[in-house]
Amino acid sequence: EVQLVESGGGLVQAGGSLRLSCATSGFSFDDYAMGWFRQAPGKGREGVSCIRSTIGSTYTADSVKGRFAISADNAKKTVWLQMDNLKPEDTAVYYCAARSPVGSTCTAWGDHLVGSWGQGTQVTVSA
C-alpha cells in the first residue's frame, strides 16, 4: 500500500520558519519525482517544489524561490520542505505528492500527473 504521511505544519508568525516532512512507504521512492503542492482557501492547487535526487531533477516555484528548500533522503524514503521567511500568503494546506509514472522528472510540476497524495498538513502564517 502506497502511503505518504506529512507532518510539521502549524501556526507561525510572519518571518518564521517551519519544516515539513513526508514519510513514504509502499513504493520505490527513488524512482519517482516527489514534492509539494499547496492549496489556499478559495484557490487552486499550486505546485511548490519537486525533487528527484537520483537524476538531479528539481523545481521550485517563483513564489517561494529563495525562501523554501526541498530535500530528500532515498534511504529514509522521506522528503522535506524547509520554509523560511514565511509570509501570510504562504498560508495553505500543504500536500506531499508522488508523480507518475516511474522514472518521472520535475519538469512541468503540476497536479495532473500526480499518482499519490498525502493527507495534507495545515500551515498558517500570521501577520
Side-chain angles (χ1 to χ4, degrees), residues 70-104:
I70 192 169
S71 60
D73 185 320
N74 290 341
K76 294 182 178 179
K77 297 187 175 183
T78 300
V79 59
W80 296 272
L81 186 67
Q82 177 66 42
M83 305 186 295
D84 297 322
N85 190 22
L86 283 158
K87 303 176 180 181
E89 52 263 42
D90 295 319
T91 295
V93 178
Y94 284 71
Y95 297 91
C96 181
R99 170 177 263 188
S100 295
V102 169
S104 53

Side-chain angles (χ1 to χ4, degrees), residues 8-11 18 20 39-41 90-94 120-125:
L11 173 64
L18 286 173
L20 305 184
Q39 188 164 20
D90 295 319
T91 295
V93 178
Y94 284 71
T121 186
Q122 177 70 46
V123 171
T124 303
V125 185

